[in-house]
Amino acid sequence: MSFLHVLGFGLKVGHLLLMLCCWIISVIPTHWFINGGVMETKIGLLSDGGKKWVRLWEKMFGNSCKISHHWYQKFWSKKVGKTWWRKLLFTWVLIWTMVSLWIFWYLCLQASEKRRETIGSMCDERARMLQDQFNVSMNHVQAISILISTFHHGKIPSVIDQETFARYTKRTAFERPLTSGVAYAVRVLHSEREQFEKQQGWTIKKMDTPEQTPVQKDNHAAENLEPSPVQEEYAPVIFAQDTVSHVISLDMLSGKEDRENVLRARASGKAVLTAPFRLFKTNSLGVILTFAVYKSDLPSNATPNERVQATHGYLGGVFHIESLVEKLLQQLASKQTILVNVDDTTDPDHPISMYGSNVLDDGLQHVSTLNFGDPYRKHEMRCRFKQKAPWPWLAITTSSGILVIALLVGHIFHATMNRIAKVEEDYQDMMMLKKRAEAADVAKSQFLATVSHEIRTPMNGVLGMLHMLIDTELDVTQEDYVRTAQASGKALVSLINEVLDQAKIESGKLELEAVKFDLQAILDDVLSLFSGKSQEKGVELAVYVSDRVPKMLIGDPGRFRQIITNLMGNSIKFTEKGHIFVTIHLVEELMDSIEVETEPAPKNTLSGLPVADGRRSWEGFRIFNQEGLTSPFSSSSSDLFHLIVSVEDTGVGIPEEAQSRVFTPFMQVGPSISRIHGGTGIGLSISKCLVNLMNGEIGFVSRPNVGSTFTFTAVFSGVSSKSNEYNKCQPTNSQSNAVSSEFKGMAALVVDPNPVRAKVSRYHIQRLGIHVEVVSDQNQGFSSLSSGNNTAINMVLVEQDIWDKDCNLSALFLNKLKKLDLKVPPKLFLLANSINSTRSNASVSGIYTPTVIMKPLRVSMLAASLQRALGVGNKDPSQNGGHPSLSLRNLLRGRKILVVDDNNVNLRVAAGALKRYGADVVCSDSGKKAIPMLKPPHDFDACFMDIQMPEMDGFEATRRIREMERNVNSRIQHGEVSMEAYGNISNWHLPILAMTADVIQATNEECLRCGMDGYVSKPFEAEQLYREVSRFFQLSPDQNQ
């Protein structure tokens, strides 16, 4: 078992123990967390994704935590005695002590097995190498036998003699490093002995006993030996290496063991080994390897008889076993030395030691079988470690460590149980506090809802009555008092809306609408809201929307307007000079737009004053840190549009120490801000939450005494042909198209050296369908007018500060205009920020007296000014973005409207407001009474219905009215009744608009769900009322004239 396995096992055991401990400790806190007040009181602050994760957590772990808490209440709530815990702790320690002992025994066993595997692999490696080296030398000896068969017996006469053999074997001795000599004995039959001895010149000698083995004698003389006795055949040595030349003439068949080896070698055709014996001179152990030399034409499958008959002689080689093993061990270097024994185990009961000692060891040894080519002789290699096994430190440390961990866990359990009682007490206290917090949260929501309704209901009466009062005959002082009271009331309503929005955000009940809206129209409305303040201060106020931004989008226009209004309202409050510039682009434009991405220079801003670097307000957005920016936001692959909106001002800026709390609710930069500028400090926090709901981000950059730039992103859906479900929420606005057609084909010349300001002017003029040309000064402008290459210029628009900067140049420009030979002279306009700045034009008179157009530029105001000056189109201000009251009067004149409200004051206010716009109003103080009045057929054109009413609320009344209309429509379609009986109307659907002061419960979605067509919040505002009414009523031809 490797160390990594042991380490992994220990880590797993420790991990299980730790998890068990953590589970026990977390039983009570987890139960409190899931079922306590933290999740419920703070869930409102999470986004939709966060709520989904919380619900998933409750589903996965809520039941298990309840079960664990049940068992906890069953066991731990009772005061368990210390004796029971001591028994449990003792059992724990005893079990883990036994486990540690088992681990110690197991690791010791694994270490012993590893030691046995190591000695086995080392011994097998040495045995294999010994066999390989022995086989190399054996192959060389066999090669000499082939040489003798070929050149001695195969040649007549023989080309090999003793001298040649001795010289050859001496020169090739390096190929047989493990042999001490080689000799060849020829086979001689008894009938050939006499002739053989005469031919050789010596007599065949006898080998009597093993002690007289030829290679054992040191000072041996062959002539002193007895002649070999008479026998059938002889094997005298005729060739020998110089090292064993004394064996020449000795009969190898005269010795018992040598005779057996020779006979076995020639019968088997394989190499045959002798038993180990002491070699002469070296006195070391060795063996003789014998090969039989056959005739060359012997078949490979010859029988033993055929081999005997084909035998020429016998070649023998003497091997040094001890020298062979010593060289082998020298070649193998090992960190752990081992002892090697080589034994001849042909006789298992009496093995012969060929190498090594018989030193006793610890009993751990390995036996590897050796194969030297002779199947008769058996050899083995026995290996053992020289040193005893080391201490099993791994087993000792691992088992001790696990025991220590178990003891520590036991201690943790003991300490945990001592704290459970304290935790339970704290848990009960926290549950009590949680219930109190929940009750307080519910009371707060109910209080806000009640206060909202109760405050807005009388405020509706106050503002409504003030609105009707201002239409009566009042002197200047009285009118000022009424307008002041009206402004204060509107400010109070706005404050209530902000507080209620913050309450919705905290409770998680704020949701967005999905309706189709005109982005540029919303920006024009916001500009109208702040135009008065900007003109009073002389601050440049402008809006620019990129051409790539769609005009119509699907989203929540009210909340988008709220964000823009909050940001622009702050800029108006804190800016005394310079400009406030709102820009809207697509996110992907920032990657290619140089003018957005580069740092603005002082002369490259709307007013020429330095501004804060707008890039720093959005460079940290996640949307710009994603790889492949254009692919996720490409409008070609998706119907979603990612807008980025920047509000840039040149105000006082935000101090660095206060920038970290800008988005904190009810926090302002300093106490003096509230005294000087007013406000509650929650506008930016609400804006941030709204931006998050729009899947966007918001950021800012501010430099004190330079200005601030707030930037946010928002995601809207594009309007396609399939989005018919949103058409019912779109206010019909065909006036801009009608106005554009009036100016189509006209051309305008803008004189402005400021490129940013000129771009804004071009944007607004082009919205009317007018071709725009921009020049930097009057001289260039006159050159453009006098050249005949361009289209005829119908109007010239000059910036007020350029016109007042050089009166002489302006007068010269007027004179040149008079002298132009044009059929219709161009009309001159001045673009001014402040009414006071136009007084310098009083000295200029005549036909070319400039017409002043007040900024900020808006399509409705610009169209009205151009129509009055040029004498084109309808000059009725109600048709060109004039006061909404005039348009409302045209829309509601002669319309019969039913107003349903249980509050008499609200009923009077609503009826008075609608009557003021020319409507024929019928009142009802109950939804139940309104149902029979609206049963088809009837002559009402619309119904304004309150939501919160006794007996039957507005939702239920609307459902019943819609049910009646569906029944009538179904009967008409099936021919059950005639259409003439129902006023020749085949599809009855009365527009029903909800009106309520409860802005928390009465959401637009709820109104649409029950069948209402729109939503009007109390008190009535002319703009909101016109926006809703214009969806159902169209101007008649006589009303347009």
Side-chain angles (χ1 to χ4, degrees):
M1 188 176 188
S2 64
F3 174 74
L4 292 178
H5 292 165
V6 176
L7 181 60
F9 177 76
L11 291 176
K12 288 181 180 179
V13 173
H15 180 261
L16 289 176
L17 296 176
L18 183 60
M19 291 298 294
L20 180 61
C21 176
C22 294
W23 178 81
I24 293 179
I25 295 176
S26 63
V27 166
I28 298 176
T30 304
H31 173 80
W32 175 83
F33 182 75
I34 294 295
N35 299 301
V38 175
M39 298 296 290
E40 296 178 0
T41 56
K42 297 300 182 183
I43 191 172
L45 299 180
L46 298 176
S47 62
D48 293 338
K51 295 177 184 177
K52 293 179 180 177
W53 280 108
V54 170
R55 296 189 187 101
L56 181 61
W57 176 275
E58 291 178 351
K59 291 181 179 178
M60 293 174 59
F61 300 103
N63 294 332
S64 61
C65 292
K66 291 178 180 178
I67 294 173
S68 62
H69 183 70
H70 169 74
W71 287 102
Y72 170 80
Q73 292 290 343
K74 183 175 181 180
F75 290 100
W76 309 128
S77 59
K78 302 175 183 179
K79 295 184 178 179
V80 182
K82 294 183 178 180
T83 304
W84 191 86
W85 266 112
R86 287 177 180 175
K87 291 181 180 179
L88 180 61
L89 186 62
F90 175 77
T91 304
W92 173 270
V93 173
L94 180 61
I95 291 175
W96 281 104
T97 301
M98 297 175 63
V99 171
S100 300
L101 293 176
W102 177 84
I103 292 175
F104 175 78
W105 171 82
Y106 178 77
L107 293 180
C108 288
L109 184 63
Q110 293 295 319
S112 177
E113 184 65 24
K114 181 66 176 178
R115 184 176 172 84
R116 185 175 291 105
E117 291 177 0
T118 302
I119 189 66
S121 63
M122 295 174 68
C123 192
D124 291 340
E125 182 182 11
R126 283 154 178 76
R128 178 181 53 80
M129 295 185 66
L130 179 60
Q131 285 184 177
D132 292 344
Q133 294 189 12
F134 185 86
N135 290 336
V136 170
S137 297
M138 183 178 66
N139 291 337
H140 284 291
V141 173
Q142 188 177 11
I144 295 176
S145 69
I146 297 173
L147 180 69
I148 293 174
S149 174
T150 303
F151 293 99
H152 178 65
H153 297 286
K155 300 292 184 179
I156 300 175
S158 174
V159 295
I160 299 177
D161 56 9
Q162 169 58 30
E163 183 180 356
T164 304
F165 186 84
R167 187 168 58 252
Y168 175 77
T169 53
K170 182 179 180 180
R171 290 182 177 181
T172 58
F174 70 92
E175 295 181 346
R176 305 177 303 278
L178 304 181
T179 60
S180 59
V182 181
Y184 175 68
V186 67
R187 181 188 181 198
V188 179
L189 298 177
H190 179 67
S191 60
E192 300 171 350
R193 176 175 180 176
E194 183 177 355
Q195 183 181 356
F196 175 79
E197 288 177 345
K198 288 179 180 181
Q199 184 180 355
Q200 295 295 332
W202 41 258
T203 305
I204 299 175
K205 301 300 187 299
K206 173 187 176 183
M207 297 175 61
D208 290 334
T209 61
E211 288 78 10
Q212 295 174 340
T213 302
V215 293
Q216 289 179 310
K217 301 294 181 91
D218 190 3
N219 298 321
H220 177 268
E223 59 270 14
N224 295 330
L225 296 177
E226 297 179 2
S228 177
V230 177
Q231 49 190 7
E232 293 182 2
E233 60 178 293
Y234 308 92
V237 177
I238 60 173
F239 300 143
Q241 193 174 347
D242 289 343
T243 56
V244 291
S245 59
H246 58 278
V247 301
I248 296 177
S249 76
L250 293 181
D251 182 11
M252 294 295 104
L253 295 178
S254 60
K256 180 180 180 181
E257 185 172 353
D258 292 325
R259 181 181 178 87
E260 292 177 358
N261 290 341
V262 169
L263 295 178
R264 283 195 303 114
R266 74 181 185 182
S268 63
K270 298 180 179 179
V272 175
L273 289 173
T274 64
F277 59 89
R278 294 286 175 180
L279 300 176
F280 83 104
K281 292 184 180 180
T282 60
N283 197 31
S284 59
L285 285 175
V287 295
I288 295 178
L289 179 70
T290 303
F291 280 99
V293 180
Y294 300 102
K295 296 177 181 179
S296 59
D297 57 351
L298 181 68
S300 59
N301 58 348
T303 62
N305 256 339
E306 291 175 344
R307 292 183 183 277
V308 172
Q309 296 301 324
T311 301
H312 280 309
Y314 315 98
L315 182 68
V318 182
F319 284 83
H320 289 262
I321 297 299
E322 291 183 355
S323 175
L324 178 64
V325 178
E326 285 292 343
K327 290 182 179 180
L328 172 67
L329 297 180
Q330 290 176 4
Q331 294 176 5
L332 296 175
S334 177
K335 295 181 180 180
Q336 192 171 13
T337 306
I338 64 173
L339 299 177
V340 176
N341 283 27
V342 179
D343 299 331
D344 185 332
T345 59
T346 304
D347 184 0
D349 297 330
H350 301 88
I352 302 174
S353 177
M354 301 173 65
Y355 176 82
S357 61
N358 295 322
V359 179
L360 298 176
D361 59 354
D362 58 355
L364 181 61
Q365 65 176 358
H366 181 78
V367 178
S368 298
T369 303
L370 297 173
N371 183 11
F372 290 144
D374 186 355
Y376 178 75
R377 309 297 303 186
K378 306 295 182 183
H379 301 86
E380 292 180 348
M381 178 181 284
R382 300 177 181 273
C383 305
R384 62 187 183 277
F385 286 109
K386 187 176 181 180
Q387 299 177 350
K388 292 185 177 295
W391 283 87
W393 292 112
L394 181 61
I396 295 173
T397 55
T398 303
S399 58
S400 301
I402 292 177
L403 181 60
V404 170
I405 292 175
L407 294 177
L408 289 176
V409 172
H411 175 71
I412 293 174
F413 284 172
H414 182 68
T416 301
M417 294 305 109
N418 289 336
R419 294 185 59 85
I420 281 182
K422 182 67 169 66
V423 172
E424 174 64 16
E425 294 177 2
D426 295 342
Y427 170 73
Q428 296 296 336
D429 294 341
M430 294 177 72
M431 288 297 296
M432 185 178 299
L433 294 175
K434 167 184 168 292
K435 292 179 181 179
R436 293 178 181 176
E438 288 176 345
D441 186 64
V442 172
K444 182 187 74 170
S445 299
Q446 293 177 349
F447 172 77
L448 289 174
T450 304
V451 167
S452 166
H453 188 272
E454 296 302 326
I455 292 180
R456 290 174 64 91
T457 297
M459 281 304 303
N460 175 45
V462 172
L463 293 177
M465 291 300 178
L466 289 174
H467 200 66
M468 289 188 290
L469 178 62
I470 204 171
D471 289 339
T472 61
E473 294 183 2
L474 301 173
D475 58 27
V476 176
T477 304
Q478 292 172 336
E479 184 176 353
D480 180 62
Y481 291 163
V482 173
R483 293 191 181 277
T484 302
Q486 194 175 34
S488 300
K490 290 183 178 180
L492 179 59
V493 172
S494 175
L495 176 61
I496 294 173
N497 290 338
E498 289 184 350
V499 174
L500 292 175
D501 283 343
Q502 186 67 29
K504 283 193 208 177
I505 292 171
E506 291 181 355
S507 61
K509 298 178 180 179
L510 184 62
E511 297 181 0
L512 299 182
E513 295 179 342
V515 298
K516 186 163 62 174
F517 66 94
D518 187 338
L519 178 66
Q520 295 175 341
I522 288 180
L523 296 175
D524 287 345
D525 292 344
V526 177
L527 287 176
S528 301
L529 183 64
F530 296 106
S531 60
K533 292 183 180 179
S534 65
Q535 291 170 3
E536 290 176 4
K537 291 186 174 183
V539 175
E540 181 100 10
L541 182 61
V543 168
Y544 175 78
V545 181
S546 171
D547 295 337
R548 296 177 59 181
V549 176
K551 181 181 179 182
M552 301 302 296
L553 295 170
I554 295 177
D556 193 329
R559 295 303 180 182
F560 183 76
R561 185 200 316 268
Q562 185 176 357
I563 298 173
I564 298 292
T565 302
N566 285 339
L567 297 180
M568 290 186 66
N570 289 337
S571 296
I572 284 289
K573 280 194 291 187
F574 299 109
T575 303
E576 300 298 331
K577 63 178 180 177
H579 68 269
I580 298 170
F581 190 24
V582 181
T583 60
I584 301 180
H585 296 82
L586 294 181
V587 169
E588 54 264 32
E589 287 187 75
L590 296 189
M591 303 305 296
D592 304 322
S593 177
I594 299 177
E595 60 188 7
V596 175
E597 194 167 342
T598 56
E599 183 175 0
K603 294 184 179 180
N604 198 28
T605 63
L606 186 65
S607 62
L609 296 179
V611 296
D613 186 3
R615 292 178 304 174
R616 295 176 55 192
S617 63
W618 51 259
E619 61 185 4
F621 288 177
R622 296 187 304 272
I623 197 171
F624 294 103
N625 296 328
Q626 298 176 354
E627 296 183 0
L629 180 64
T630 58
S631 58
F633 314 115
S634 177
S635 59
S636 61
S637 60
S638 174
D639 292 335
L640 298 181
F641 291 92
H642 296 250
L643 304 187
I644 181 166
V645 184
S646 294
V647 180
E648 174 187 282
D649 66 59
T650 56
V652 296
I654 304 173
E656 294 184 0
E657 63 274 9
Q659 293 183 6
S660 60
R661 59 177 185 269
V662 164
F663 295 108
T664 304
F666 304 104
M667 293 294 291
Q668 293 188 335
V669 173
S672 61
I673 298 297
S674 179
R675 294 194 303 268
I676 298 174
H677 301 283
T680 59
I682 60 176
L684 288 178
S685 68
I686 293 175
S687 299
K688 183 176 182 179
C689 294
L690 294 177
V691 168
N692 292 335
L693 290 176
M694 295 179 182
N695 298 322
E697 299 174 88
I698 188 171
F700 73 97
V701 60
S702 182
R703 292 172 55 191
N705 301 321
V706 174
S708 304
T709 300
F710 280 79
T711 303
F712 70 91
T713 60
V715 181
F716 295 101
S717 300
V719 178
S720 62
S721 58
K722 298 180 181 180
S723 59
N724 296 328
E725 63 272 17
Y726 300 104
N727 291 339
K728 60 184 179 181
C729 301
Q730 176 193 3
T732 58
N733 187 10
S734 60
Q735 295 177 3
S736 60
N737 296 330
V739 171
S740 299
S741 63
E742 295 173 359
F743 297 100
K744 191 173 183 179
M746 293 187 177
L749 178 67
V750 175
V751 181
D752 192 348
N754 189 323
V756 177
R757 189 168 56 186
K759 181 177 69 173
V760 174
S761 301
R762 179 199 294 268
Y763 158 70
H764 287 285
I765 298 173
Q766 285 180 341
R767 290 176 61 188
L768 297 176
I770 302 174
H771 175 73
V772 180
E773 181 182 350
V774 178
V775 295
S776 59
D777 54 34
Q778 289 97 321
N779 291 329
Q780 293 184 10
F782 184 77
S783 299
S784 178
L785 290 171
S786 60
S787 65
N789 298 329
N790 298 331
T791 306
I793 302 298
N794 302 97
M795 62 197 78
V796 179
L797 296 95
V798 184
E799 282 293 332
Q800 178 72 50
D801 55 350
I802 303 301
W803 185 263
D804 295 339
K805 184 177 181 180
D806 192 343
C807 295
N808 295 327
L809 182 60
S810 300
L812 180 61
F813 182 75
L814 277 177
N815 293 330
K816 289 182 179 181
L817 283 180
K818 296 176 182 179
K819 296 178 181 180
L820 286 175
D821 187 11
L822 298 175
K823 183 178 180 180
V824 179
K827 188 67 177 178
L828 181 63
F829 296 91
L830 296 183
L831 303 178
N833 292 327
S834 174
I835 299 177
N836 298 330
S837 62
T838 61
R839 296 176 180 175
S840 60
N841 297 316
S843 60
V844 182
S845 61
I847 191 172
Y848 288 99
T849 301
T851 301
V852 178
I853 299 178
M854 297 301 302
K855 294 184 179 181
L857 296 180
R858 307 179 300 281
V859 65
S860 58
M861 177 274 303
L862 185 61
S865 300
L866 295 180
Q867 285 175 343
R868 286 193 297 267
L870 299 176
V872 298
N874 195 336
K875 303 176 185 58
D876 186 0
S878 65
Q879 301 298 314
N880 297 314
H883 198 277
S885 300
L886 300 177
S887 300
L888 268 176
R889 185 171 290 107
N890 292 331
L891 284 175
L892 297 179
R893 185 181 303 150
R895 306 287 186 181
K896 187 173 183 179
I897 298 176
L898 176 64
V899 178
V900 184
D901 198 324
D902 62 309
N903 187 287
N904 188 36
V905 175
N906 290 339
L907 202 60
R908 291 178 57 192
V909 170
L914 294 174
K915 288 179 180 178
R916 183 160 52 93
Y917 297 135
D920 182 10
V921 181
V922 177
C923 298
S924 175
D925 59 358
S926 170
K928 195 172 183 180
K929 296 179 180 179
I931 293 176
M933 300 174 65
L934 296 178
K935 182 179 180 180
H938 58 75
D939 56 352
F940 288 102
D941 296 300
C943 173
F944 285 77
M945 183 172 296
D946 189 24
I947 291 179
Q948 294 183 352
M949 292 183 293
E951 292 188 86
M952 182 182 295
D953 60 17
F955 294 140
E956 181 62 26
T958 302
R959 291 190 189 97
R960 297 192 180 185
I961 294 171
R962 295 306 183 207
E963 183 64 26
M964 290 191 305
E965 292 176 343
R966 282 193 294 269
N967 293 335
V968 171
N969 294 336
S970 176
R971 294 177 63 189
I972 293 176
Q973 292 176 2
H974 290 82
E976 298 177 6
V977 294
S978 63
M979 196 166 55
E980 291 77 8
Y982 288 90
N984 291 324
I985 299 176
S986 60
N987 186 18
W988 281 88
H989 183 88
L990 179 71
I992 300 178
L993 299 178
M995 57 178 188
T996 181
D998 190 351
V999 295
I1000 288 183
Q1001 297 177 4
T1003 62
N1004 189 32
E1005 289 79 3
E1006 294 175 350
C1007 296
L1008 297 178
R1009 193 179 303 117
C1010 72
M1012 292 183 176
D1013 298 284
Y1015 175 85
V1016 179
S1017 178
K1018 299 177 184 178
F1020 286 163
E1021 293 287 345
E1023 292 84 355
Q1024 184 188 19
L1025 191 59
Y1026 174 77
R1027 196 162 49 246
E1028 294 295 332
V1029 170
S1030 62
R1031 291 166 46 203
F1032 311 104
F1033 300 152
Q1034 299 295 332
L1035 292 175
S1036 60
D1038 58 336
Q1039 290 173 331
N1040 282 330
Q1041 298 177 4

